[in-house]
Amino acid sequence: MKYTVITGASSGIGYETALAFAKEGKNLIITARRQAELEKLKKEVQEIDSTLDVVINVTDLSILENVYSFYESLKDYELETFVNNAGFGNFDPVGSQRLEKIEKLLQLNVEALTILSSLFVRDYAEKEGTQIINISSVGGYTIFPDAVTYCSSKYYVSAFTEGLSQELKTLNAKMQAKVLAPASTQTEFSKRAREVNEYVYKGDFHTAKEMASFLLELYHSDKTVGIVDLSSYEFELRDPIFNHL
Ligand code: NAP
């Protein structure tokens, strides 16, 4: 029995991605800090297909030792796909950003993603049909005002994942590595980034369900990058964007 791992599955893109993979008959391992939301997701998945197994793991991935113990807990399962989706943003000029929040941002967006990706690649690169999909952002290819640190963390995710994809191809590995780069998507992201109770979306945005369906398009394609074009707001599947030697 094979499993799809999704971090940050308790809301937004991760939640909808879990439902989208469930519709494709995939067993799931879902993780985040909020247990109640993960239980709700598990119920919804089992309403889609009661034969699917859904494993819940409640943990804070901004703490390094939890990252290792989370991966250790996966040893009992055969993994197929790993979606590193947990992440958050911040909107402040660099000189006035709250550093406790920034520490967590870097630990989650960069450190946890790197450790989990490395361990998964180490154990599964030679297994047929395996994929790693890391969630970057259009902000991982374009710097937005007042979001320099967040964008930089996502530039890291884009560069790391495009580089990993290239490395796996060079090694003729069986695993594929892909980057999803959403633009504005209606989730809890903006509330958390801006520390407000409500956020009203203006201009173009996608729903989390739309973004999850884009992620599934990327999953089924041979392209490396799935990105929202900022001028048309269309989702595009693309070859690597960064230069490789
Ligand atoms: P969201 O609704 O806030 O979801 C974020 C997920 O990450 C939640 O499940 C949250 O669960 C989890 N998470 C946050 N801190 C965590 C921690 N310390 N440990 C473990 N899990 C943690 O936002 P989203 O938009 O779906 O975000 C998903 C990804 O998309 C992120 O990487 C984000 O940077 C990226 N993205 C979003 C947008 C957008 O406009 N929404 C645009 C571009 C990229 P708990 O709080 O339960 O832990």
Side-chain angles (χ1 to χ4, degrees):
M1 201 142 114
K2 293 181 181 173
Y3 286 80
T4 297
V5 181
I6 303 171
T7 70
S10 61
S11 64
I13 297 167
Y15 193 102
E16 292 296 337
T17 296
L19 293 176
F21 273 109
K23 286 183 188 140
E24 303 224 345
K26 303 294 186 187
N27 299 301
L28 299 168
I29 300 174
I30 51 176
T31 184
R33 293 166 302 178
R34 288 170 296 171
Q35 180 155 9
E37 276 75 1
L38 295 175
E39 300 284 1
K40 179 170 165 270
L41 173 58
K42 178 172 179 168
K43 241 177 113 216
E44 262 193 78
V45 167
Q46 289 181 330
E47 279 159 17
I48 293 170
D49 182 346
S50 60
T51 65
L52 293 182
D53 191 22
V54 181
V55 178
I56 289 178
N57 188 304
V58 178
T59 193
D60 183 340
L61 290 176
S62 69
I63 298 167
L64 186 58
E65 61 181 298
N66 294 350
V67 176
Y68 283 102
S69 50
F70 169 61
Y71 191 81
E72 197 54 38
S73 79
L74 304 178
K75 292 273 153 123
D76 299 339
Y77 304 95
E78 186 184 349
L79 308 184
E80 184 179 33
T81 305
F82 206 115
V83 183
N84 275 304
N85 165 73
F88 70 90
N90 187 59
F91 290 92
D92 276 314
V94 172
S96 51
Q97 56 190 2
R98 199 160 56 75
L99 293 182
E100 296 87 349
K101 187 176 181 188
I102 296 303
E103 285 170 17
K104 294 268 169 212
L105 184 153
L106 295 173
Q107 282 151 355
L108 184 65
N109 296 9
V110 175
E111 189 175 70
L113 178 138
T114 307
I115 302 296
L116 291 173
S117 300
S118 306
L119 292 169
F120 182 57
V121 169
R122 191 185 66 186
D123 291 343
Y124 284 91
E126 289 312 326
K127 301 241 162 85
E128 198 67 66
T130 52
Q131 287 199 32
I132 178 159
I133 302 179
N134 287 340
I135 313 307
S136 178
S137 168
V138 164
Y141 292 95
T142 305
I143 298 168
F144 287 81
D146 283 345
V148 170
T149 307
Y150 171 66
C151 290
S152 300
S153 78
K154 293 299 188 178
Y155 265 76
Y156 176 89
V157 174
S158 305
F160 176 78
T161 313
E162 286 200 14
L164 170 61
S165 165
Q166 188 64 28
E167 187 176 284
L168 291 170
K169 282 178 187 154
T170 307
L171 294 168
N172 277 324
K174 303 227 162 61
M175 183 183 288
Q176 289 179 286
K178 299 173 179 176
V179 193
L180 181 81
S184 184
T185 308
Q186 193 176 30
T187 67
E188 295 182 10
F189 176 85
S190 287
K191 287 195 282 182
R192 288 169 188 246
R194 296 170 198 279
E195 297 176 40
V196 293
N197 291 329
E198 281 312 318
Y199 180 77
V200 180
Y201 283 81
K202 300 180 210 99
D204 292 318
F205 65 89
H206 291 109
T207 64
K209 206 181 268 300
E210 286 171 327
M211 193 47 62
S213 77
F214 298 153
L215 191 152
L216 267 286
E217 266 183 56
L218 176 65
Y219 173 76
H220 287 296
S221 85
D222 284 327
K223 296 290 186 185
T224 304
V225 182
I227 186 165
V228 176
D229 179 280
L230 277 184
S231 46
S232 64
Y233 243 70
E234 298 284 320
F235 180 70
E236 295 177 346
L237 294 172
R238 295 182 54 176
D239 292 323
I241 291 171
F242 292 131
N243 294 326
H244 293 272
L245 283 181

